[in-house]
Amino acid sequence: MGRAPCCDKANVKRGPWSAEEDAKLKDYIEKYGTGGNWIALPQKIGLNRCGKSCRLRWLNYLRPNIRHGGFSEEEDNLICSLYISIGSRWSIIAAQLPGRTDNDIKNYWNTKLKKKLLGRRRQSLLNCSSSTKDANSSNDAKSSQTLSNSALERLQLHMQLQNLQNPFSFYNNPALWPKVPPLLHEKITQNLQILNEGPHLLMQPSLSRSSSPKNDQKAKTHESSPAASHSAPSDFANLSFNDADFNELVNSMTNCVSSSDYHISFPDIGVNLIDQPNRIQFLPDPIIHTELNDSLNYNKSDGSMSQQNQVDEFDCFKDMNGTSRGTLQALWCDDEYNAQSASSYSWDSTSAFLCEGISQDYGFGYNM
DNA sequence: AAAAGTCCCAACCGCAGAGGG
DNA sequence: CCCCTCTGCGGTTGGGACTTT
């Protein structure tokens, strides 16, 4: 027994809305609001429509300040970056794009943006399926592939953006960061401006706390940190806070939903902030790593597509050097910080940020 | 010119969660 | 708790518009 339908589908009009229906709905809502009950709304207005249909029509088309089509390059980049970071959470993505609806963005992504950015991979996949596998194994692969497409798309997009050194990538676009305290935001922004005047386009800042015990530890930690060992100079992104500013920063972190001494989550944007004794990092949603784990390990045993074959299949992986591949393989090992993770948004494996490559791609390391 | 194929997007569907009784 | 209603969300579909053959 399924649940009762929200309306009598046989007796309500479906399909495209007429101008008269639009006018009725718009006039009523502008005068009286929705009344908190969409189901009852069409009857009040005298519309022979389902309440859900009215709601959708209003939200996606009739409400004020809606924009359709004509996505700008900036919006493209924002959608891309957010998709990479949080996946197909269209309502959250739409919230970052004033005047855009989740439906619009979803359609735009599915029909244009994805093709634009992933066209090469799709073609490659199709060639593989049709030329190298029989029908059954191909179906199996397709089925498994469906489960992991999102994560792999996101990963590849991430790589592509990084390769392009896109100025609107997550790392270089403060608009995409979680709602960090103004103090921290300002510091990072200042730092970015300095960075972008220099030769290093990819941001990899560190953040230090000056004149504090933590800072004394920092020098040692910094020297041995992955960030410091990267080819990018370790001093190009060194931010300092005095004790007062640091305390204000910590005390002002109110927009997180959970926190401990070591872990703060911003689930609305899918970013975690890890505060280790000497280091703060912003890291994207861990879900992508879980999905990646699943997708890279699928069908390991049935021969339809080995992990290595699948890795080879994607352009983004082909472009990666051996070190980065090693990083991917190392994403799932346990590490000492697991016990310190306090919320449900904690990383299953935080060793990712200790590995060169992904950790540098995905996180800002802020030495404290 | 017309048939076939493809693109695009408004609208629909079903599920999950919130909240009230 | 349990049940029910309502809302919001993401995935999917139908069909008109456009392009290609």
Side-chain angles (χ1 to χ4, degrees):
Chain A
M1 297 289 281
R3 53 173 300 173
C6 65
C7 56
D8 182 0
K9 286 179 180 165
N11 293 320
V12 296
K13 186 181 171 192
R14 298 169 69 186
W17 281 62
S18 68
E20 298 92 280
E21 288 175 313
D22 280 348
K24 267 188 182 177
L25 182 61
K26 195 161 188 274
D27 288 348
Y28 184 90
I29 293 178
E30 282 176 352
K31 280 181 190 166
Y32 308 108
T34 65
N37 188 341
W38 283 105
I39 301 299
L41 194 68
Q43 290 175 333
K44 288 183 193 168
I45 310 174
L47 272 176
N48 189 25
R49 287 278 184 177
C50 169
K52 284 179 82 169
S53 179
C54 292
R55 174 183 165 271
L56 209 63
R57 186 65 179 170
W58 170 256
L59 290 177
N60 288 341
Y61 202 82
L62 297 175
R63 75 184 153 105
N65 305 320
I66 291 286
R67 288 187 293 151
H68 293 285
F71 281 81
S72 67
E73 195 72 21
E74 231 170 279
E75 286 175 312
D76 285 1
N77 288 318
L78 191 51
I79 293 167
C80 240
S81 299
L82 286 169
Y83 184 85
I84 291 163
S85 177
I86 65 177
S88 60
R89 294 181 223 179
W90 302 116
S91 58
I92 295 173
I93 294 173
Q96 306 302 316
L97 294 159
R100 301 295 187 185
T101 68
D102 54 355
N103 205 37
D104 241 10
I105 293 169
K106 180 173 56 183
N107 282 334
Y108 182 58
W109 171 262
N110 285 330
T111 59
K112 292 178 185 171
L113 213 44
K114 187 165 70 175
K115 287 174 190 169
K116 181 172 151 190
L117 292 159
L118 298 175
R120 284 179 62 201
R121 198 200 102 198
R122 286 248 176 273
Q123 191 55 52
S124 176
L125 268 177
L126 286 172
N127 292 344
C128 171
S129 294
S130 60
S131 63
T132 64
K133 295 173 180 61
D134 63 34
N136 286 338
S137 64
S138 179
N139 285 342
D140 289 346
K142 189 180 173 186
S143 171
S144 299
Q145 194 63 56
T146 303
L147 297 174
S148 56
N149 264 354
S150 175
L152 288 165
E153 280 173 4
R154 286 155 65 189
L155 180 67
Q156 190 189 19
L157 285 168
H158 167 76
M159 297 297 180
Q160 287 183 357
L161 288 177
Q162 290 288 295
N163 288 343
L164 292 172
Q165 296 183 338
N166 189 327
F168 293 103
S169 71
F170 181 89
Y171 319 98
N172 291 340
N173 186 355
L176 302 180
W177 303 348
K179 292 162 191 149
V180 298
L183 179 66
L184 178 55
H185 196 280
E186 185 186 344
K187 283 275 184 184
I188 297 170
T189 305
Q190 284 172 358
N191 189 63
L192 260 187
Q193 286 169 355
I194 295 168
L195 291 183
N196 289 336
E197 286 165 7
H200 311 294
L201 294 176
L202 290 181
M203 189 174 81
Q204 190 195 17
S206 59
L207 187 77
S208 68
R209 181 187 189 183
S210 62
S211 60
S212 72
K214 275 190 175 183
N215 200 39
D216 292 336
Q217 291 176 4
K218 186 209 64 130
K220 199 164 48 180
T221 304
H222 197 145
E223 284 173 9
S224 59
S225 70
S229 65
H230 189 257
S231 57
S234 61
D235 61 347
F236 77 98
N238 192 20
L239 302 181
S240 295
F241 285 87
N242 59 34
D243 280 349
D245 281 352
F246 179 81
N247 289 333
E248 181 190 333
L249 171 64
V250 171
N251 291 334
S252 62
M253 288 181 172
T254 57
N255 58 313
C256 59
V257 298
S258 65
S259 66
S260 69
D261 288 345
Y262 296 100
H263 192 116
I264 302 171
S265 296
F266 300 85
D268 57 330
I269 195 169
V271 172
N272 291 290
L273 186 153
I274 310 297
D275 178 9
Q276 298 168 19
N278 301 307
R279 189 173 167 79
I280 280 184
Q281 293 181 308
F282 287 92
L283 296 151
D285 194 330
I287 291 169
I288 188 170
H289 293 280
T290 305
E291 292 179 0
L292 188 64
N293 182 12
D294 294 343
S295 60
L296 285 179
N297 285 307
Y298 92 86
N299 277 344
K300 244 180 171 176
S301 58
D302 69 6
S304 63
M305 196 177 202
S306 71
Q307 178 175 330
Q308 189 57 50
N309 284 344
Q310 187 183 2
V311 167
D312 287 345
E313 191 53 39
F314 294 92
D315 297 335
C316 66
F317 287 104
K318 286 181 179 175
D319 293 340
M320 292 165 64
N321 61 28
T323 303
S324 294
R325 286 188 186 211
T327 300
L328 281 175
Q329 306 300 326
L331 279 174
W332 305 286
C333 57
D334 292 323
D335 81 282
E336 61 192 296
Y337 294 108
N338 270 350
Q340 297 165 336
S341 297
S343 81
S344 61
Y345 275 81
S346 300
W347 287 64
D348 291 328
S349 170
T350 48
S351 62
F353 20 102
L354 300 178
C355 301
E356 198 162 356
I358 284 289
S359 68
Q360 290 164 353
D361 288 345
Y362 273 9
F364 319 144
Y366 298 112
N367 292 334
M368 301 293 283

